[in-house]
């Protein structure tokens, strides 16, 4: 992915800063309670030291000892309660941050351009939404809390050690700490880099699984299962290799911290015992110091885990940030807000278009005038630019070279939602959701009556098929509509476009999977629907577009022929040849059938 400019990185940071600002009181309260709880915890070794000295010198009354023991018990209970509260506040926030980031990522993904999805794999994006967000959550939760707890306990212990026992002994005991810090920072960086690679390897696996499952029918049809398994093993192995490298780095961290701390203990035992013997510190102080050292040891032992969590979190945060910094589609365009309805007049003037990152134009100098209520038929070889024209009409891509006017308004100035709301579009690749046919037709908006749903189903000639199903409109279709035939899927998609009652109806090769009799029925019904609307019908079949008010023939992104069916037949060029080929084919087929 492209390196981000400094300005762009602000977006991801802003998101986290906004979260922290919104939850600042729980953070402040959590941190203050944590500090107080650490202070209370540090009283315990001191009380232990006082009791030890009392017993050692035999100058402490039994009642006094009981009082100290009660004090210690009180401190333990208080620490327990305080710890519960601060963990609830701070760990609770990390669960919320996970949900907050995931919601924002999902929201952001909805705003990204179609082109973004042409260049990013689904499995990869799933990895961002699951793995990376989880790693950030661990950083915000366990990582943050353990680091804060560890730092507080260590700092408070050191203050107690230096102030109440002996500063020189404290310095001696902590001498190896800077060495440990340098080692931790170095290994930490290595962990971050390696974790990034682990996440990338996971994204590859996720992508492979997603692609394989989506294409399982093709894989089976071509008997490619074995190759797929072998291919998958390579991805799996790559993940193991990257993970092993990460484990190697993190495995050094824990023992390094322990060795450094071992030296600290050694210094303390040698130097501390000497101080007890020459009477500089009491035995109680020695015991208390020892307890403080053990208290500090907890976070030190944990430091490898904490650093690893942080470095993983930072690596994932950076990956997420790259996605958050991708600007939303059509970000720079200005919309006029008072347009709230579209009647359907379309004018295309000198329009050319090149896809981002492509090196040749998909459309060249297109000019079309389509009055409201009229129908345009588009024909052309595959790859000639038919769908591209529709992509621009739907503003899936920005119009930069030339103009498209809808109702006389530049399309770039019409609010995208208003524009798309007024267009009923049946795409070439019909996508049905794994839910009921009814939900698929109304697109999860339960605002239509059963009569309306039935009516559009009848227009698109799918009603009888639906009625034959056991659950009728409540039949749940398989993922991507797999339990329906290609032609049935196309017709459900037509019903979905019609129920919007659109001003402009676009059918992009939407009848290619239906037989010619059904096509005739649908076209007849749609002709009635199109009487009051603007229609654009794309097809490879002359029979689908021949009744249109105007037909254009595209070749390499350019309009090479235009006119009515009769005019194009008179031209005796591409359209005519196609007509001849298709009628000959139909006649031959009829003879064969006879
Ligand atoms: N997202 C994209 N990025 C780059 N090039 C693209 C993209 N989508 C389409 N193209 C290219 O633009 C050209 C026009 O494609 P388009 O899909 O408009 O053709 P079409 O006439 O609809 O073809 P078909 O009849 O096969 O559907 C083709 O050369 C295609 O490879």
């Amino acid at each position: 992915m492209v390196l981000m400019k400094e300005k762009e990185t602000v977006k991801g940071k802003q998101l986290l800063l906004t979260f922290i600002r919104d939850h600042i009181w729980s953070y402040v309260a959590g941190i203050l309670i944590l500090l107080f709880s650490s202070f209370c915890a540090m009283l315990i070794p001191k009380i232990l030291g006082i009791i030890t000295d009392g017993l050692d010198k035999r100058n402490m009354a039994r009642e006094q000892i009981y009082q100290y023991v009660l004090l210690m018990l009180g401190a333990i209970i208080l620490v327990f309660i305080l710890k519960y509260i601060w963990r609830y506040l701070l760990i609770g926030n990390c669960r919320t941050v996970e949900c907050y980031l995931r919601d924002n990522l999902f929201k952001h993904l909805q705003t990204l351009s179609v082109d973004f999805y042409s260049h990013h794999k689904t499995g990869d994006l799933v990895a961002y939404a699951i793995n990376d967000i989880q790693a950030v959550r661990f950083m915000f939760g366990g990582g943050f809390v353990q680091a804060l707890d560890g730092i507080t306990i260590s700092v408070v212990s050191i203050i107690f050690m230096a102030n109440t026992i002996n500063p020189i002994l404290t310095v001696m005991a902590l001498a190896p700490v800077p060495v440990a810090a340098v080692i931790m920072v170095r290994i930490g960086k290595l962990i971050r880099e390696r974790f990034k690679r682990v996440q990338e390897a996971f994204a590859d696996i996720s992508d492979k699984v997603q692609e394989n499952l989506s294409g399982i029918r093709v894989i089976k049809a071509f008997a490619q299962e074995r190759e797929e398994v072998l291919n998958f093993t390579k991805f799996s192995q790559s993940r193991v290799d990257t993970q092993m490298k990460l484990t190697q780095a993190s495995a050094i961290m824990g023992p390094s911290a322990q060795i450094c701390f071992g030296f600290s203990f050694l210094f303390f035992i040698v130097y501390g015992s000497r101080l007890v013997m020459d009477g500089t510190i009491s035995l109680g102080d020695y015991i208390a110091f020892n307890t403080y050292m053990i208290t500090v040891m907890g976070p030190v032992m944990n430091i490898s885990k904490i650093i690893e969590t942080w470095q993983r979190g930072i690596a994932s945060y950076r990956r997420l940030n790259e996605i958050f910094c991708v600007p939303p589609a059509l970000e720079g365009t200005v919309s006029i807000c008072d347009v709230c309805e579209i009647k359907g007049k379309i004018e295309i003037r000198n329009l050319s278009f090149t896809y981002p990152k492509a090196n040749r134009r998909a459309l060249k100098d297109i000019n079309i005038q389509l009055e409201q209520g009229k129908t345009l038929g588009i024909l052309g070889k595959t790859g000639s630019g038919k769908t591209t024209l529709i992509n621009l009409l739907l503003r899936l891509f920005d119009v930069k070279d030339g103009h498209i006017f809808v109702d006389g308004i530049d399309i770039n100035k019409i609010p995208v939602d208003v524009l798309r709301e007024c267009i009923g579009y049946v795409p070439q690749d019909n996508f049905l959701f794994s839910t009921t046919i009814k939900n698929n037709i109304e697109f999860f908006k339960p605002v239509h009556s059963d009569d309306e749903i039935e009516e559009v189903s009848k227009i698109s000639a799918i009603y009888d098929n639906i009625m034959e199903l056991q659950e009728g409109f409540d039949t749940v279709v398989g993922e991507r509509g797999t339990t329906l035939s290609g032609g049935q899927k196309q017709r459900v998609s037509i019903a979905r476009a019609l129920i919007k009652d659109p001003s402009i109806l676009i059918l992009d090769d939407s009848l290619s999977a239906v037989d010619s009799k059904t096509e005739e029925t649908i076209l007849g019904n749609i002709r009635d629907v199109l009487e009051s609307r603007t229609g654009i019908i794309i097809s490879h079949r002359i029979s689908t577009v021949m009744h249109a008010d105007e037909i254009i023939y595209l070749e390499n992104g350019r309009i090479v022929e235009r006119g009515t069916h009769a005019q194009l037949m008179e031209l005796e060029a591409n359209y005519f040849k196609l007509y001849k080929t298709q009628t000959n084919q139909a006649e031959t087929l009829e003879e064969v059938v006879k």
Side-chain angles (χ1 to χ4, degrees):
M1 197 170 286
V2 197
L3 274 178
M4 287 174 295
K5 291 176 211 139
E6 204 179 320
K7 198 177 87 188
E8 288 174 326
T9 60
V10 173
K11 283 184 190 167
K13 245 188 236 163
Q14 248 170 11
L15 210 59
L16 287 180
L17 287 177
T18 309
F19 177 85
I20 293 170
R21 204 187 51 216
D22 290 350
H23 296 79
I24 193 72
W25 286 114
S26 53
Y27 276 113
V28 170
I31 291 169
L32 287 177
I33 295 171
L34 184 145
L35 289 174
F36 185 56
S37 115
S38 300
F39 174 80
C40 294
M42 287 312 106
L43 289 175
I44 299 164
K46 190 66 203 159
I47 299 169
L48 189 68
I50 294 169
I51 296 173
T52 310
D53 278 343
L55 292 175
D56 186 36
K57 290 171 190 156
R58 300 178 201 285
N59 58 358
M60 195 179 271
R62 188 176 286 219
E63 289 72 30
Q64 228 178 336
I65 294 176
Y66 287 156
Q67 276 170 6
Y68 276 118
V69 170
L70 272 178
L71 196 64
M72 217 157 104
L73 196 67
I76 290 169
I77 293 170
L78 187 61
V79 168
F80 173 81
I81 295 169
L82 293 173
K83 200 164 184 166
Y84 174 81
I85 299 173
W86 70 251
R87 282 184 74 86
Y88 179 81
L89 290 170
L90 298 178
I91 303 261
N93 275 349
C94 84
R95 283 286 169 193
T96 325
V97 84
E98 182 180 16
C99 177
Y100 169 83
L101 279 179
R102 202 164 278 140
D103 284 355
N104 272 286
L105 179 69
F106 191 74
K107 208 159 85 184
H108 182 64
L109 288 175
Q110 306 306 303
T111 69
L112 299 182
S113 68
V114 174
D115 189 54
F116 171 85
Y117 292 98
S118 308
H119 298 102
H120 287 82
K121 297 178 180 174
T122 316
D124 199 8
L125 296 173
V126 170
Y128 281 100
I130 295 174
N131 263 24
D132 287 303
I133 286 186
Q134 205 171 48
V136 174
R137 193 249 295 170
F138 286 146
M139 174 174 78
F140 254 70
F144 174 69
V145 165
Q146 283 175 3
L148 199 65
D149 192 25
I151 291 170
T152 316
I153 284 186
S154 304
V155 170
V156 177
S157 300
I158 291 164
I159 292 170
F160 266 78
M161 281 150 87
N163 275 352
T164 63
I165 301 171
N166 188 303
I168 300 170
L169 183 61
T170 308
V171 172
M172 289 286 290
L174 297 176
V177 169
V179 183
V182 172
I183 298 173
M184 298 300 130
V185 170
R186 289 258 164 114
I187 304 175
K189 265 189 195 160
L190 198 66
I191 286 181
R192 194 190 322 152
E193 281 158 23
R194 293 189 176 180
F195 183 68
K196 187 169 179 255
R197 263 171 250 141
V198 168
Q199 293 295 71
E200 283 164 359
F202 178 82
D204 287 342
I205 290 187
S206 158
D207 196 55
K208 187 71 209 154
V209 173
Q210 192 273 336
E211 210 165 56
N212 176 283
L213 297 181
S214 306
I216 196 75
R217 282 163 194 80
V218 181
I219 290 164
K220 283 190 177 294
F222 283 78
Q224 286 295 303
E225 293 96 327
R226 219 173 77 84
E227 284 73 6
E228 279 293 296
V229 170
L230 290 176
N231 217 344
F232 183 78
T233 312
K234 278 187 211 152
F235 284 100
S236 241
Q237 190 54 47
S238 157
R239 157 94 186 184
V240 172
D241 294 344
T242 50
Q243 184 67 58
M244 282 310 290
K245 284 192 178 141
L246 174 65
T247 310
Q248 278 165 8
S250 45
I252 307 170
M253 192 118 82
S256 308
Q258 283 167 18
I259 287 173
C260 290
F261 199 77
F263 277 113
S264 292
F265 239 107
L266 209 66
F267 288 150
F268 158 68
I269 289 168
V270 173
Y271 189 66
S273 320
R274 206 188 296 158
L275 291 182
V276 175
M277 279 194 263
D278 65 20
T280 313
I281 61 167
S282 67
L283 183 65
D285 284 341
Y286 184 82
I287 298 278
F289 200 96
N290 185 38
T291 317
Y292 284 128
M293 288 285 285
I294 292 168
T295 312
V296 176
M297 200 170 172
V300 172
M301 291 299 186
N302 221 2
I303 200 158
S304 59
K305 248 171 131 187
I306 296 171
I307 291 182
E308 194 177 329
T309 309
W310 271 86
Q311 297 299 354
R312 282 171 176 238
I314 291 168
S316 283
Y317 162 75
R318 287 187 179 164
R319 266 167 57 83
L320 280 169
N321 201 29
E322 286 178 354
I323 296 289
F324 278 123
C325 288
V326 177
L330 315 167
E331 197 181 41
T333 53
V334 189
S335 299
I336 297 172
C337 295
D338 55 1
V339 181
C340 53
E341 201 193 358
I342 279 166
K343 294 198 175 73
K345 181 183 169 195
I346 298 170
E347 190 190 346
I348 300 178
R349 234 186 263 163
N350 307 326
L351 177 72
S352 295
F353 180 74
T354 309
Y355 279 102
K357 301 192 181 96
N359 49 16
R360 75 186 187 93
R361 285 191 292 171
L363 288 177
K364 297 162 201 161
D365 205 22
I366 303 289
N367 285 285
I368 295 168
Q369 182 96 30
L370 186 61
E371 292 302 323
Q372 182 194 338
K374 299 283 178 198
T375 300
L376 174 76
I378 308 181
L379 278 169
K381 286 188 192 141
T382 134
S384 57
K386 302 182 291 295
T387 302
T388 306
L389 195 59
I390 305 307
N391 286 343
L392 295 179
L393 254 176
L394 285 163
R395 274 188 80 194
L396 293 177
F397 292 89
D398 254 344
V399 175
K400 288 178 181 153
D401 188 357
H403 297 276
I404 298 182
F405 297 97
V406 177
D407 292 350
I409 305 165
D410 191 322
I411 200 169
N412 288 336
K413 293 183 179 165
I414 300 174
V416 178
D417 49 346
V418 172
L419 178 81
R420 292 182 188 159
E421 201 52 51
C422 295
I423 296 179
Y425 173 50
V426 187
Q428 214 170 9
D429 46 347
N430 297 291
F431 186 96
L432 296 191
F433 296 90
S434 179
T435 176
T436 61
I437 295 180
K438 188 176 172 194
N439 271 341
N440 268 297
I441 294 177
E442 5 174 63
F443 222 124
F444 305 102
K445 280 187 207 156
V447 291
H448 304 284
S449 66
D450 287 350
D451 287 347
E452 284 174 310
I453 296 173
E454 280 175 21
E455 193 193 335
V456 291
S457 309
K458 282 176 185 161
I459 296 173
S460 48
I462 186 71
Y463 182 76
D464 291 343
N465 291 119
I466 296 173
M467 285 298 108
E468 279 164 17
L469 299 170
Q470 213 171 14
E471 313 257 353
F473 281 95
D474 293 324
T475 307
V476 176
V477 301
E479 204 178 38
R480 291 164 186 258
T482 42
T483 47
L484 297 183
S485 74
Q488 286 169 339
K489 274 195 278 182
Q490 282 190 334
R491 284 174 285 153
V492 171
S493 299
I494 295 174
R496 177 195 284 169
L498 289 174
I499 204 149
K500 284 172 77 181
D501 191 17
S503 320
I504 301 170
L505 180 67
I506 302 174
L507 307 184
D508 187 353
D509 212 5
S510 316
L511 298 170
S512 57
V514 298
D515 60 82
S516 47
K517 197 162 171 287
T518 313
E519 181 189 18
E520 225 172 88
T521 314
I522 298 171
L523 284 174
N525 296 342
I526 281 188
R527 234 171 276 140
D528 294 339
V529 172
L530 284 178
E531 260 175 28
S532 54
R533 304 158 215 269
T534 308
I536 299 180
I537 303 177
I538 296 177
S539 181
H540 287 281
R541 285 194 213 156
I542 298 265
S543 58
T544 316
V545 295
M546 63 191 289
H547 297 289
D549 298 293
E550 187 180 21
I551 302 161
I552 57 169
Y553 192 98
L554 284 173
E555 201 170 80
N556 293 327
R558 223 179 262 288
I559 300 177
V560 289
E561 282 169 46
R562 70 192 321 152
T564 58
H565 173 71
Q567 288 165 339
L568 291 175
M569 289 300 284
E570 256 177 51
L571 264 182
E572 295 197 3
N574 292 298
Y575 185 88
F576 176 80
K577 282 184 206 152
L578 192 64
Y579 178 80
K580 283 281 167 206
T581 318
Q582 287 181 1
T583 41
N584 284 345
Q585 276 170 355
E587 278 163 15
T588 319
L589 198 67
E590 249 174 57
E591 275 167 28
V592 170
V593 171
K594 270 181 201 164

